[in-house]
Amino acid sequence: YSSIYFLRLHEMKKAVAQVARAKWANAPVLDIKKGKLSYVIGTVYMDMRLKPSILDDIVKDEFNLAAPPTAKYFSDDDVIMMEDESGRVKLVGEVIAKAGLVTGIIVGALGMETPAGDFEVVDYCFAG
């Protein structure tokens, strides 16, 4: 799916950047520095521990192992990541945790790098 996500980012980045510039006019873009407010734009990747894996399904089918049904795919242990052409950063904070994001969406995130190297989000935006 990486080529689909790359194309989506390429096509949507300008629209998100326009919204982000209007919303956060005084914050620098893509200049993440510890303790300094900035914003980044990228593709969301949700690392969801409860999400089914096709490889696990194949193994279970091959050996006739039935997986217990899962009531939900999300959990408090999920990790929200953002990636672009330059790399990937973990998004943290209450604001982003409550945003209801899904893998593949293009988002702008305003925040700052934490001492642990994560990006603590204080606000976010979409293309429209």
Side-chain angles (χ1 to χ4, degrees):
Y1 294 102
S2 64
S3 60
I4 293 171
Y5 292 141
F6 176 79
L7 181 59
R8 184 180 296 144
L9 177 60
H10 179 72
E11 294 295 320
M12 297 290 297
K13 194 170 191 173
K14 288 179 188 173
V16 174
Q18 280 184 318
V19 174
R21 277 193 301 274
K23 194 170 184 179
W24 310 312
N26 296 326
V29 65
L30 300 176
D31 190 20
I32 298 174
K33 293 182 181 167
K34 283 186 175 68
K36 296 209 179 210
L37 197 64
S38 62
Y39 67 92
V40 293
I41 299 170
T43 305
V44 170
Y45 172 73
M46 300 293 296
D47 185 7
M48 303 170 73
R49 310 264 187 252
L50 300 178
K51 181 177 67 173
S53 164
I54 187 66
L55 297 176
D56 290 341
D57 290 345
I58 292 170
V59 168
K60 289 170 187 166
D61 286 347
E62 186 68 27
F63 295 102
N64 295 321
L65 300 172
T70 304
K72 61 182 182 174
Y73 296 148
F74 60 91
S75 75
D76 292 337
D77 295 331
D78 293 349
V79 177
I80 306 168
M81 308 289 280
M82 177 188 283
E83 59 184 29
D84 66 7
E85 302 88 353
S86 65
R88 184 182 276 191
V89 65
K90 180 179 175 183
L91 303 180
V92 298
E94 190 173 322
V95 169
I96 205 68
K98 293 181 177 182
L101 300 175
V102 296
T103 293
I105 194 164
I106 309 302
V107 65
L110 176 71
M112 63 183 66
E113 186 178 9
T114 68
D118 301 330
F119 193 76
E120 184 163 2
V121 179
V122 296
D123 198 8
Y124 60 92
C125 68
F126 303 105

